[in-house]
Amino acid sequence: MTWLKVASGIISVSLLSAAPAAMAQVFPNQAHANYNFIPLGINNGPITYHQVYAAAQFGTDPVEIRSLGFAPNPGVNGQTVVYSELVISLGYTDRSPGGLSANLPDNPRGSLTQVLSAPGFSQQLQSGGTEDFSLVFRFDTPWCYNPNEGNLLIEIRATNSTVDVSTSRCAGVPDASRAWNSPRFGNNADGVAQRMLFELAPCSGGGVTLRLSGSCPGSIGVHWANATPNRPLGIAFALNTGSFVVPGGACAGTQLGLGSNQLQLVTTVNTGSGSGSVNGNAGTGACGGYIQLVVVDGSPCSTSNVVQLP
C-alpha cells in the first residue's frame, strides 16, 4: 500500500460518484412537549450543548449522518438568524440518556469528529409548527455512525445568535437527554431532549467505522468496526481533509476523505474478525491532523470516516 507515499508535484483529480439515497427521521421519536431556547437561542456568549441518543434507536447497521434539522417556534417565522460561529461534532459516549455529566468534557468517549464549522452561519427561518424541521445544518463532512459501537453523542457550539430561536423538544428519557454550559442558562444536565431531524444514508466505504482514543501528543488508540474480516487495513494520516484519489496499487481509484498535505501510510494491520484496535504514539507534529482507515477488500477499497487526532 505504498500508494500513500506522496511524491511532490502529483495532482489527482476525480469526479465524485453519486451519493446513496438518503432518508429523514426524527430522533427521539417522541411528541413535541415544549419549545426551548437551549441550545440555539440568544445566549450572550458561547453555549456548548451535548445530547446523547440511545444506540438502539438507530438499529444495528451503520448509518451516515448528513445533516440535522430543528423545528423553530413559529414566532420567529421570516426572521434571519445569524451565528458568529456554529460548530457541530459527533462521536460516541459510554453515558446513557439521563446520565450525561454537567462537566461536559466527561461525556465523550475519545475524540469527537467535527462535521460542521460555519463562522457567520445565516438562515432565514421558515416555521410552520412543531413538525416543520426547517432550520437545517448540513454537514461539511457526513459521519458514519455505528450503533454497535455505543451511544451517539452530539455536540453543538453556538455563539452570538441574532434571533432568540427556541426549538421543539420532547420529554427525552429513555431515548435521549442533554447537558449544556452557557452564560445564559448556566451549567447543567436534565432528562429532556431537543427533537432533531436526521438526514441518514447507508455508510459509504462499506460501513467501516473509526474511533480514536487517547491524547496528542501521546498514546493514541485506533479502533475499528464493521470491516471486512481478515483483510489488510491501512491507517492513513494527513494534515488536512480533502478528496485525494489513490493513483495506483491495490486501491487505485479509491477516493479518500484526506488531503495531500503530509499524506502518508502510518502502518498496515489485519482487520481480524472485522473489529479491533491498535495503539501507537503521536508526536507534536501530528496533532491536529486526521486519520482514515482503508481496507483492501474490493475495487474501490473500503474507507472509514475521517477523525481528527484528539
Side-chain angles (χ1 to χ4, degrees), residues 215-220 280-284 286-287 309:
S215 60
C216 188
S219 179
I220 298 293
N281 290 311
T284 303
C287 297
L309 283 167

Side-chain angles (χ1 to χ4, degrees), residues 44-297:
N44 302 317
I47 183 172
T48 301
Y49 177 84
H50 281 177
Q51 185 151 311
V52 57
Y53 284 94
Q57 295 174 86
F58 295 86
T60 58
D61 294 330
V63 289
E64 184 178 83
I65 304 174
R66 296 180 174 179
S67 68
L68 292 176
F70 294 79
N73 189 317
V76 297
N77 187 51
Q79 300 183 53
T80 298
V81 63
V82 180
Y83 296 94
S84 60
E85 182 179 32
L86 182 72
V87 178
I88 298 178
S89 300
L90 305 181
Y92 295 93
T93 179
D94 294 322
R95 295 182 178 270
S96 300
L100 283 179
S101 172
N103 184 31
L104 301 189
D106 291 343
N107 292 325
R109 182 212 304 157
S111 60
L112 298 175
T113 299
Q114 182 176 292
V115 295
L116 174 65
S117 178
F121 178 90
S122 175
Q123 186 175 130
Q124 186 177 37
L125 300 169
Q126 303 293 333
S127 178
T130 62
E131 305 309 309
D132 187 3
F133 292 83
S134 55
L135 177 54
V136 177
F137 304 123
R138 185 165 298 281
F139 297 165
D140 301 324
T141 307
W143 189 70
C144 185
Y145 169 57
N146 185 353
N148 301 296
E149 283 284 289
N151 291 338
L152 174 66
L153 184 68
I154 295 176
E155 179 180 275
I156 299 173
R157 288 187 284 125
T159 304
N160 296 333
S161 167
T162 58
V163 176
D164 208 6
V165 182
S166 60
T167 60
S168 174
R169 73 153 175 85
C170 61
V173 172
D175 298 324
S177 71
R178 62 186 185 176
W180 64 89
N181 191 351
S182 80
R184 179 180 180 183
F185 300 108
N187 186 196
N188 208 345
D190 62 17
V192 305
Q194 300 308 115
R195 300 168 69 228
M196 301 183 194
L197 180 70
F198 285 68
E199 182 186 1
L200 303 173
C203 286
S204 59
V208 188
T209 56
L210 165 66
R211 176 174 61 86
L212 300 180
S213 61
S215 60
C216 188
S219 179
I220 298 293
V222 178
H223 312 265
W224 66 89
N226 204 49
T228 304
N230 198 31
R231 301 298 300 171
L233 179 148
I235 301 174
F237 168 85
L239 286 177
N240 64 327
T241 58
S243 55
F244 183 86
V245 177
V246 178
C251 290
T254 300
Q255 181 171 299
L256 306 181
L258 302 175
S260 60
N261 189 359
Q262 297 297 310
L263 180 63
Q264 58 192 273
L265 182 65
V266 177
T267 190
T268 303
V269 297
N270 190 281
T271 59
S273 64
S275 299
S277 63
V278 294
N279 293 316
N281 290 311
T284 303
C287 297
Y290 299 86
I291 297 289
Q292 186 174 29
L293 305 180
V294 183
V295 181
V296 185
D297 61 357

